Amino acid sequence: MSFVNAPIRKKDAMSLVTGKPVYTGDLIPQNALVVKLLRSPHSNADIESINTAAALKVPGVCCILTWEDVPDARFTTAGQTYPEPSPYDRLILDRHLRCYGDPVAIVAAENEQAADKALRLIKVKYHVMEPLLDFTKAKDNTILVHPEDNFRALCPVGADNKRNLCSTERMDIGDVDEVLKTCDVVVERTFNTKANNQAMMETFRTFSYIDEYGRLTVVSSTQVPFHARRILSNALQIPKSRIRVVKPRIGGGFGAKQSVVSELFPAIVTLKTGRAASIIYSREESMTNGSPRHQMQMKVRVGASKDGVIRAIDLYALSNAGAYGDHGPTTIGLVGHKSLSLYGGLEAARFDNEVVYTNTMGGGAYRGYGATQGIFAVESAVSELAAKLGMDPCVLREKNMVAQGQMMPTYYNEPCNSCTLDKCMAKAKEMMDWDNKYPRRVLENGHIRSVGVAMAMQGSGISGVDIASVEIRLNDDGFYTLLLGCTDMGTGCDTILSQMAADCLDCDLDRIAVRGVDTDFSPYDTGSYASSTTYVTGMAVVKTCQVLREKILKTGAFMLNVPEETAEFDGKRVFVPGTEKQVTLEEIGYASYEGHNRCLSASESHSSLISPPPFMVGMAEIDLDPETGKVEVVDYVGAVDCGTVINTNLARVQTEGGIVQGIGMALYEDICYSASGKMENNSFLQYKIPSRLDVGKIHIEFESSYEPTGPFGAKSIGELVINTPAPAIMNALYNATGCFFDTLPVRSEDIFFAMEEKNK
Amino acid sequence: MLITVTINGKKYTDEIAPDMVLLDYLRQKGCYSVKRGCETSNCGLCTVHLDGKPILSCSYLAARADGHSVTTLEGLQEEAAEFGAFLADQGGEQCGFCSPGFIMNVLAMVRELKDPTEAEIQEYLSGNLCRCTGYQSQLRAVKNYLAHKQEVQS
């Protein structure tokens, strides 16, 4: 039986659906101190003085830490491979507060009530300064977000803290200005996106304690346990050898937990007090001081011949890092590389970008990681181009889309080895009944039904950077232990990788015991981000299984006393074909535990020099009430090329979930700041993520290519799927109203007023 | 203040702070399936049954539960596993953090509504947010579960 490309139930599913205590918050030791943070009520202020005397007298308060109690060495909390491209711009507690909610003091108490009371009794004098809130005015502003002299960038990303620059980059292919001059049609538009919150159901949380060897153990809901170990070491200024990070089940991440957000606070309390300590972020804290998508402004110019050949795209992107540069210099790259590369025949392309510091909350990684913003802008511009050319937006894309076998100059010059974007388009049109529904029809009740389209791509891991290691052990009755360093955050990678191992080892899925991450015993893996797990860690599984099979065969042949070349291993036994000579895997397992030097295990690593893009076409059908501007997505179809689908259920759910997050970004999720920089949408009451009543039907089909460098031909899926809804819905809105929308989210009132304006 | 609450069939009498919410009380009693996803009664993660009816335990004072019977997923393990298997067979639990509250509400719906339409299902469960799945797999699971229940009954 093959487990790959099957709808396998997740190995941890039944413990999750029966509510077992498997998450960080369920595992906190009874005696752990409760850690809470006093947060800044200002967007830009210096702490003049802090008086903790009264707070320390509250019964049950164990310790209060301020900026004077933490190391003065800057670090980044971005979970990235060292040396991190994100600048070292943080302290655990800083005297200079750079955004609303920046931590001012850490309180640790025996219970929550005491901690809360102490928070109210800490007296702080602030020197309040004017905040820099408009990121379009940040560069070379007189207000400096990071005036400090010990700011440093480890990588040459173009950071300059004296100019509020987190990074700058430019890519030129051909002469864009010259080609655009000779284009028959040029579309130019500026697009705006907001700082969407991942809104994973489990907020940030961590607990820590000193173990029996005197080492700091940090149990955390993190996507990056190994990076977290290094970041803890950098921040606390203690050797990495003294730190162990453990990841239990995670209640969702979507990139939020690719930064160290809650880990440092209990860890420093444990170091200072020797006591176990825990922190659970409130939803408000997760909203105001998490690690959301970078707010961006993108200016696109796209030019084509009158018969619809797209000849050049010019893209300038400005990204708001906010107060801290986590993932700033890297998310911006994807804005261009993963949008321009959708188009195969460009004569010229330019991608110019700047990431700037402001006094809004710091950004981070969120599913799509810049590609989402870039694809929204470029795909919307391409749809506008189609309108200008009087062409069906699908036809324009069919003429210009990237194809298998091409090189992708705007995608780090990587080859397009596997791509069925053309088939995805054909499938999506069929599923949507596009030719009959395009562009719109008016229903009897006056509502307008219209359709819209967009394409998307992403990567599969970070080329030449991500590393995955896997260890598989044969145990005494012939079952295997699969040790992984990548982090299952609900996506099901523990199961998916077990499916691959079961197929590679010709065994039943139940014979694979899988174990997630503990930095003390898991093999190294960069972590679960950048859509790397299936593609990169999957190949490490395949390689490890190959080596282990060879070892099993060798041991079996030795036990049979036959030459290795004459024996075969079929997953259950080593045997000599045509004879009765055989030894079972169970016997080999027991034998490997007795009296010789052949305990059977294998561990291999994998890294890929390329990051094969998965592709997708998404189409939205919307229902618009022209009298109110109220819009509903009644139908959404997605046709996906993620290479071979490893788990058909989980790939489908990934796609459906990504699309709904994308719909939220397009229509609902609206981070706003007050004039002083306080976030106004700091709860689920004000920050509306889609409920099940806000999304219509979603239909998914897979049009699998075969990626020759991936495990079983697989590429990634996790991030790709969030990228089409915003531009597809914008296209549908144009087809309904004749208005172009370029600023997310598009609210009912925006639609209503745009239609009013147009009808004037 | 002193309260007496029946949790999953077992009677507890405890001295509690007047401002303690039921969610925290239940977790203190070891009912770790009860999760908190927000502070504004928006997410549905903390759904439990009070005398058989679904409530949000995050915004329900423990004191109000005095003299009442509370059921959490710990007390409905068999039903949780039965419906949960349908959810798992869609991959619809994903991270699983919203699953207990969602399943508590599904089980309440099954008791309350006879042959609910799709619109009724969606309406009943609309207070249970999920960020992973996009809800489609949850709907498939609920429909399959209802069909299975009908099959078993007929």
Side-chain angles (χ1 to χ4, degrees):
Chain A
M1 158 160 192
S2 176
F3 294 97
V4 164
N5 197 233
I8 302 295
R9 190 188 277 190
K10 265 171 58 189
K11 275 179 165 282
D12 54 351
M14 291 314 289
S15 70
L16 302 186
V17 297
T18 52
K20 295 293 184 282
V22 294
Y23 301 91
T24 303
D26 306 334
L27 306 171
I28 296 171
Q30 287 288 327
N31 63 349
L33 294 167
V34 174
V35 175
K36 292 218 167 189
L37 304 176
L38 180 68
R39 292 185 174 278
S40 173
H42 306 290
S43 299
N44 189 15
D46 277 325
I47 298 170
E48 278 184 357
S49 66
I50 305 187
N51 186 336
T52 59
L56 277 167
K57 285 190 188 132
V58 174
V61 168
C62 181
C63 86
I64 299 177
L65 304 174
T66 70
W67 65 272
E68 288 175 295
D69 304 308
V70 304
D72 189 28
R74 287 193 187 269
F75 57 91
T76 178
T77 49
Q80 301 180 297
T81 294
Y82 180 85
E84 302 97 320
S86 302
Y88 278 24
D89 55 12
R90 288 207 196 235
L91 298 174
I92 300 173
L93 296 172
D94 203 328
R95 192 171 192 178
H96 182 181
L97 305 165
R98 295 176 177 79
C99 65
Y100 191 92
D102 240 2
V104 174
I106 303 170
V107 172
E110 300 293 344
N111 56 60
E112 199 175 346
Q113 291 72 20
D116 282 335
K117 192 166 182 193
L119 286 178
R120 289 194 293 272
L121 292 171
I122 298 173
K123 297 273 182 291
V124 188
K125 263 196 189 155
Y126 298 98
H127 169 61
V128 182
M129 299 175 283
E130 187 192 341
L132 170 55
L133 300 173
D134 182 349
F135 77 116
T136 64
K137 297 189 177 117
K139 189 169 78 169
D140 296 324
N141 197 294
T142 50
I143 302 168
L144 284 184
V145 180
H146 285 278
E148 67 273 10
D149 290 325
N150 59 354
F151 173 101
R152 70 194 170 105
L154 273 59
C155 299
V157 293
D160 184 349
N161 58 319
K162 306 294 178 182
R163 300 183 65 198
N164 285 330
L165 279 176
C166 177
S167 73
T168 50
E169 190 202 0
R170 186 183 173 120
M171 174 194 78
D172 277 292
I173 293 170
D175 191 333
V176 162
D177 294 321
E178 277 306 309
V179 177
L180 283 175
K181 262 189 222 164
T182 61
C183 284
D184 300 323
V185 185
V186 176
V187 161
E188 180 172 342
R189 188 173 287 278
T190 300
F191 296 88
N192 299 285
T193 61
K194 287 204 163 175
N196 307 103
N197 196 287
Q198 296 87 349
M200 62 285 167
M201 286 296 130
E202 181 200 38
T203 58
F204 301 100
R205 53 197 61 199
T206 304
F207 68 87
S208 53
Y209 60 92
I210 303 289
D211 75 3
E212 60 272 38
Y213 303 103
R215 294 166 74 224
L216 174 69
T217 298
V218 177
V219 181
S220 194
S221 182
T222 176
Q223 292 172 231
V224 285
F226 287 97
H227 292 332
R229 182 174 68 184
R230 182 188 66 250
I231 294 164
L232 282 156
S233 161
N234 286 347
L236 299 166
Q237 295 284 293
I238 62 170
K240 294 169 190 66
S241 59
R242 278 192 61 201
I243 306 170
R244 170 185 173 210
V245 178
V246 180
K247 175 219 72 113
R249 291 292 97 185
I250 304 179
F254 314 115
K257 295 166 183 174
Q258 197 198 332
S259 285
V260 159
V261 176
S262 57
E263 285 84 350
L264 299 171
F265 306 113
I268 192 167
V269 167
T270 293
L271 275 189
K272 297 268 184 191
T273 64
R275 295 275 308 270
S278 67
I279 193 165
I280 294 181
Y281 268 37
S282 64
R283 178 59 59 186
E284 181 177 340
E285 286 178 298
S286 271
M287 292 296 300
T288 57
N289 296 88
S291 53
R293 192 184 292 292
H294 289 90
Q295 177 187 22
M296 290 194 193
Q297 184 171 80
M298 291 153 290
K299 192 175 166 189
V300 186
R301 288 194 298 157
V302 51
S305 62
K306 58 178 176 293
D307 55 348
V309 175
I310 300 177
R311 297 180 57 203
I313 306 178
D314 182 16
L315 172 61
Y316 166 75
L318 178 69
S319 168
N320 181 11
Y324 300 99
D326 288 46
H327 300 282
T330 38
T331 45
I332 192 73
L334 278 69
V335 174
H337 299 297
K338 291 178 182 166
S339 59
L340 304 176
S341 311
L342 284 167
Y343 294 96
L346 299 180
E347 290 166 47
R350 176 163 58 202
F351 174 42
D352 206 351
N353 62 66
E354 291 171 305
V355 183
V356 292
Y357 285 110
T358 66
N359 293 115
T360 60
M361 68 177 156
Y366 180 2
R367 193 180 205 169
Y369 204 83
T372 313
Q373 295 96 310
I375 287 171
F376 159 64
V378 169
E379 282 297 275
S380 295
V382 167
S383 288
E384 186 171 346
L385 178 69
K388 253 192 166 172
L389 288 163
M391 280 178 85
D392 179 324
C394 295
V395 175
L396 178 63
R397 286 182 171 84
E398 282 163 344
K399 256 181 178 308
N400 292 283
M401 62 174 61
V402 67
Q404 187 165 308
Q406 287 180 333
M407 288 299 288
M408 298 180 285
T410 51
Y411 191 75
Y412 328 106
N413 253 326
E414 290 186 16
C416 183
N417 286 333
S418 58
C419 173
T420 57
L421 199 46
D422 51 345
K423 287 186 187 165
C424 290
M425 181 62 83
K427 175 62 81 177
K429 282 171 81 168
E430 178 195 320
M431 291 162 75
M432 181 53 88
D433 191 16
W434 175 272
D435 289 335
N436 282 320
K437 289 183 178 172
Y438 173 78
R440 89 185 70 79
R441 64 205 153 104
V442 180
L443 304 184
E444 274 177 20
N445 62 3
H447 287 205
I448 303 169
R449 286 280 170 109
S450 65
V451 290
V453 62
M455 304 193 298
M457 63 187 287
Q458 195 75 35
S460 301
I462 306 175
S463 319
V465 175
D466 285 349
I467 293 174
S469 316
V470 162
E471 183 179 344
I472 305 180
R473 300 173 184 160
L474 177 70
N475 299 292
D476 47 3
D477 73 348
F479 80 96
Y480 301 98
T481 313
L482 170 61
L483 298 175
L484 300 171
C486 62
T487 45
D488 193 334
M489 55 185 133
T491 50
C493 71
D494 287 357
T495 305
I496 288 162
L497 296 166
S498 299
Q499 288 172 247
M500 293 188 198
D503 272 19
C504 290
L505 295 166
D506 286 310
C507 71
D508 203 81
L509 197 60
D510 292 341
R511 304 298 283 171
I512 311 268
V514 66
R515 181 57 51 187
V517 193
D518 179 325
T519 55
D520 272 6
F521 63 72
S522 304
Y524 181 77
D525 193 298
T526 34
S528 287
Y529 60 89
S531 291
S532 63
T533 317
T534 297
Y535 177 74
V536 185
T537 313
M539 273 314 278
V541 169
V542 170
K543 284 159 94 171
T544 303
C545 290
Q546 279 165 357
V547 174
L548 186 58
R549 283 191 78 112
E550 285 162 21
K551 288 187 177 181
I552 291 169
L553 182 68
K554 193 170 181 176
T555 303
F558 174 80
M559 288 169 73
L560 292 172
N561 201 17
V562 298
E564 210 181 309
E565 311 80 64
T566 63
E568 286 180 20
F569 173 51
D570 68 358
K572 291 193 169 63
R573 62 197 175 125
V574 171
F575 64 105
V576 181
T579 73
E580 290 192 351
K581 285 187 175 176
Q582 65 164 11
V583 55
T584 66
L585 185 63
E586 193 178 353
E587 288 167 324
I588 295 170
Y590 277 113
S592 79
Y593 273 23
E594 190 193 6
H596 51 70
N597 303 316
R598 274 189 300 274
C599 255
L600 291 178
S601 77
S603 181
E604 294 295 315
S605 302
H606 184 69
S607 185
S608 176
L609 288 174
I610 58 170
S611 174
F615 294 97
M616 174 170 182
V617 172
M619 289 182 180
E621 181 175 10
I622 60 164
D623 180 286
L624 177 71
D625 181 348
E627 291 191 356
T628 61
K630 186 176 181 341
V631 63
E632 282 178 47
V633 180
V634 291
D635 220 342
Y636 203 96
V637 306
V640 181
D641 166 22
C642 59
T644 302
V645 178
I646 303 296
N647 186 314
T648 49
N649 271 349
L650 299 180
R652 181 175 304 277
V653 174
Q654 279 294 305
T655 311
E656 292 165 345
I659 285 169
V660 169
Q661 287 186 2
I663 291 172
M665 178 186 183
L667 297 175
Y668 306 117
E669 299 175 28
D670 192 12
I671 291 288
C672 299
Y673 291 96
S674 73
S676 63
K678 182 184 178 190
M679 190 194 296
E680 287 172 329
N681 322 67
N682 58 12
S683 75
F684 282 165
L685 209 55
Q686 297 118 313
Y687 186 80
K688 298 308 273 186
I689 65 170
S691 81
R692 68 192 72 227
L693 297 179
D694 299 315
V695 291
K697 294 276 181 216
I698 298 174
H699 307 275
I700 305 301
E701 294 284 350
F702 293 95
E703 281 292 346
S704 297
S705 61
Y706 187 92
E707 172 51 44
T709 65
F712 298 88
K715 300 186 279 189
S716 80
I717 186 150
E719 294 185 277
L720 165 76
V721 291
I722 198 172
N723 295 336
T724 62
I729 291 169
M730 294 312 113
N731 183 217
L733 281 170
Y734 167 75
N735 289 332
T737 65
C739 306
F740 293 108
F741 295 91
D742 49 33
T743 297
L744 299 183
V746 179
R747 304 161 305 170
S748 297
E749 54 267 43
D750 300 324
I751 299 167
F752 177 81
F753 287 124
M755 291 175 78
E756 284 253 296
E757 185 69 25
K758 194 176 166 58
N759 293 335
K760 254 184 197 166
Chain B
M1 60 186 294
L2 202 66
I3 59 166
T4 300
V5 183
T6 305
I7 303 173
N8 298 324
K10 199 171 161 193
K11 201 172 256 193
Y12 295 89
T13 299
D14 283 294
E15 184 65 39
I16 61 152
D19 61 350
M20 184 181 226
V21 294
L22 184 58
L23 188 158
D24 292 321
Y25 179 65
L26 291 171
R27 283 187 66 89
Q28 213 175 69
K29 306 312 279 184
C31 299
Y32 288 116
S33 73
V34 189
K35 300 286 193 267
R36 179 182 267 116
C38 68
E39 300 92 41
T40 48
S41 313
N42 287 106
C43 72
L45 264 63
C46 63
T47 305
V48 299
H49 295 175
L50 186 95
D51 302 329
K53 294 270 164 56
I55 58 157
L56 297 176
S57 63
C58 74
S59 45
Y60 199 94
L61 286 174
R64 282 179 70 194
D66 183 30
H68 292 275
S69 176
V70 177
T71 311
T72 70
L73 209 59
E74 281 82 359
L76 291 172
Q77 285 289 289
E78 219 170 280
E79 286 131 298
E82 191 193 5
F83 169 69
F86 284 89
L87 192 60
D89 282 339
Q90 295 294 329
E93 78 289 356
Q94 283 285 294
C95 84
F97 206 70
C98 75
S99 295
F102 171 68
I103 293 173
M104 289 305 288
N105 221 13
V106 168
L107 297 178
M109 179 186 76
V110 169
R111 286 178 199 174
E112 200 176 316
L113 304 183
K114 266 212 157 49
D115 301 328
T117 63
E118 189 174 309
E120 285 171 333
I121 295 170
Q122 298 288 66
E123 181 69 38
Y124 197 100
L125 301 173
S126 63
N128 293 91
L129 294 179
C130 167
R131 191 60 157 169
C132 294
T133 63
Y135 306 110
Q136 313 290 314
S137 51
Q138 293 186 347
L139 181 62
R140 289 193 290 269
V142 169
K143 283 176 157 179
N144 291 349
Y145 173 64
L146 292 174
H148 164 78
K149 283 208 93 96
Q150 269 200 338
E151 220 169 83
V152 172
Q153 278 164 9
S154 61

